[in-house]
Amino acid sequence: MLKNADCTVYEKDSFIRHTIKGVFWSDNRGQTAVKNGIQISDSILVYIYIGDYVPKAGDIIVKGEADFHFDNSSQKSVSESMKLFREQFPGSAVVKNVNDCRYGGLPHIEITAR
């Protein structure tokens, strides 16, 4: 079991914050030469070993413990909060895929984000 970071997940619609300790975080950045130029394929792979919250596609994930609170009282305030969040956490990503592997000898949840 590899652990190299903590992470924070914000739920997609409610922006409820979940801090998860002891995860494996792999930031994969790459480029591929294609016919029309260069294709950039950046992704983040996270393995969560324990935790009460299972992230869903569309959630926002940040490496480390983030103490940011979204103001979701109106659509305008959510937009302003999101702008401030992206400025404060430029390495944040949106969860694209969640694979629940909580069985066998090493139960975990695999997350792919971009």
Side-chain angles (χ1 to χ4, degrees):
M1 178 178 345
L2 298 172
K3 297 179 184 178
N4 64 358
D6 298 330
C7 72
T8 305
V9 178
Y10 289 90
E11 291 186 40
K12 175 171 68 171
D13 296 322
S14 62
F15 298 107
I16 295 173
R17 180 171 46 102
H18 302 275
T19 301
I20 305 168
K21 298 203 178 267
V23 303
F24 175 74
W25 184 285
S26 178
D27 195 352
N28 305 310
R29 299 187 185 273
Q31 298 179 352
T32 306
V34 293
K35 185 177 179 179
N36 298 333
I38 294 179
Q39 177 182 5
I40 297 174
S41 56
D42 295 342
S43 67
I44 296 170
L45 177 65
V46 181
Y47 290 174
I48 298 175
Y49 302 107
I50 58 170
D52 297 332
Y53 179 70
V54 177
K56 297 181 260 338
D59 288 354
I60 300 170
I61 191 166
V62 178
K63 185 175 185 179
E65 292 186 49
D67 191 23
F68 188 88
H69 299 280
F70 283 88
D71 179 6
N72 56 358
S73 57
S74 70
Q75 185 61 35
K76 184 178 180 182
S77 60
V78 169
S79 297
E80 291 171 3
S81 288
M82 185 57 75
K83 181 180 176 189
L84 290 172
F85 178 80
R86 297 244 186 247
E87 288 172 2
Q88 195 170 356
F89 300 99
S92 65
V94 177
V95 174
K96 297 297 181 186
N97 189 27
V98 177
N99 190 10
D100 192 346
C101 301
R102 291 182 288 178
Y103 51 83
L106 184 60
H108 63 282
I109 297 168
E110 296 176 4
I111 298 172
T112 305
R114 292 196 176 153

